[in-house]
Amino acid sequence: MTQEKREAVELLLANRLYLYSLLHKTFGREPDGELIALLCTDTTASAFALLSAEKGDPLDRIGPFLKSVGAKAADAGFLTELRDEYTRLFVGPDKLVAPPWESVYRGEDAMLFQEVTLEVREIYRGFGLLPEGYPHVADDSLALELAFMSKLAERAMEDLHNGDEEGLDRLLESSGDFLKRHLLLWVPKFLERMQKASTQLLYPQLCVALDTFLRRDGESLKELRAALQ
């Protein structure tokens, strides 16, 4: 691999690692000032924009939107509203408008802990990964699936730095497979429900960017693998 190609690959790998790690944290826990500040940085806007197909698409628009959120987040009242939105959308106690678990959208009777949950668990196990709280957590939650993609992205960076191109290709292939067989099959349905949320402070808009990012990442992975041949 030439130095020029290596630098281009490293940029794309670092970018996807940053975004998967950030999105895992954002959808995986109640927001606080530190998390919102990170989410609303120019670095995040630039990371999304790198995968933008054209001016005005969801990954181009999310940067200015997040900047507006960040400007309000210094207000303790607004941060409380963000926490309330997160709780209402992802925790309860009321019925969730868009449950953040794959099995709800792909299993029978919209129930948790179905066959797809076990399938995801076995994929994690194949990479020596199991979520904290195993076996009492639903492995197919949005946050955990994003965390898994983040782990694979981290290992891909390590293989690049170690010069292991075969290992890197395998990780990129596995990442693309997980997107195609899991996240890309249910996140669009999750997004559709999320747009019916009673508040639109942050998470419904962020889900639009998430959906677009996942599709663009799938395309980017194919291009990366081709570039490594």
Side-chain angles (χ1 to χ4, degrees):
M1 186 186 305
T2 66
Q3 182 63 24
E4 182 179 2
K5 180 185 287 189
R6 187 183 187 284
E7 290 175 357
V9 170
E10 184 169 19
L11 173 62
L12 289 172
L13 292 182
N15 194 68
R16 62 190 302 273
L17 172 57
Y18 175 83
L19 286 174
Y20 274 116
S21 178
L22 178 61
L23 289 166
H24 150 59
K25 294 172 185 175
T26 302
F27 286 103
R29 64 180 173 89
E30 183 181 272
D32 56 26
E34 182 180 0
L35 177 59
I36 295 301
L38 177 61
L39 181 64
C40 300
T41 59
D42 290 341
T43 300
T44 299
S46 297
F48 278 120
L50 186 63
L51 293 174
S52 175
E54 60 185 7
K55 188 172 179 60
D57 85 353
L59 298 185
D60 182 57
R61 297 196 307 268
I62 194 64
F65 169 72
L66 290 175
K67 187 174 182 179
S68 71
V69 171
K72 300 174 189 174
D75 181 344
F78 181 72
L79 189 56
T80 297
E81 291 178 8
L82 288 181
R83 291 191 183 113
D84 289 345
E85 182 176 77
Y86 179 88
T87 300
R88 185 166 55 255
L89 291 174
F90 302 114
V91 181
D94 297 330
K95 182 178 180 180
L96 304 183
V97 64
W101 296 279
E102 181 177 356
S103 50
V104 171
Y105 303 89
R106 298 191 58 209
E108 297 179 3
D109 303 320
M111 300 284 289
L112 297 183
F113 290 103
Q114 297 195 54
E115 183 176 350
V116 68
T117 311
L118 299 179
E119 181 182 336
V120 168
R121 179 177 294 175
E122 286 307 305
I123 293 173
Y124 296 167
R125 195 194 301 272
F127 286 88
L129 299 169
L130 284 175
E132 185 177 344
Y134 166 84
H136 305 295
V137 298
D139 309 67
D140 61 347
S141 74
L142 177 61
L144 288 177
E145 292 194 359
L146 292 173
F148 175 66
M149 291 295 290
S150 176
K151 285 291 186 182
L152 294 192
E154 182 180 7
R155 292 181 182 183
M157 283 289 290
E158 291 172 355
D159 279 353
L160 177 67
H161 292 157
N162 293 332
D164 184 357
E165 293 188 21
E166 290 186 6
L168 171 57
D169 184 65
R170 286 194 297 270
L171 285 166
L172 297 182
E173 181 180 25
S174 297
S175 298
D177 284 347
F178 192 79
L179 276 171
K180 182 173 65 176
R181 298 175 186 276
H182 294 282
L183 282 160
L184 290 176
L185 290 182
W186 72 276
V187 168
K189 300 172 186 177
F190 167 73
L191 168 62
E192 184 177 349
R193 291 199 197 182
M194 184 63 73
Q195 300 316 299
K196 301 175 183 177
S198 59
T199 62
Q200 301 280 327
L201 297 176
L202 171 62
Y203 294 97
Q205 295 91 329
L206 192 58
C207 284
V208 175
L210 169 68
D211 177 67
T212 305
F213 163 64
L214 294 176
R215 287 186 280 110
R216 297 280 164 75
D217 187 49
E219 297 164 3
S220 178
L221 287 169
K222 293 176 184 178
E223 295 170 1
L224 278 169
R225 293 191 68 208
L228 291 169
Q229 300 304 315

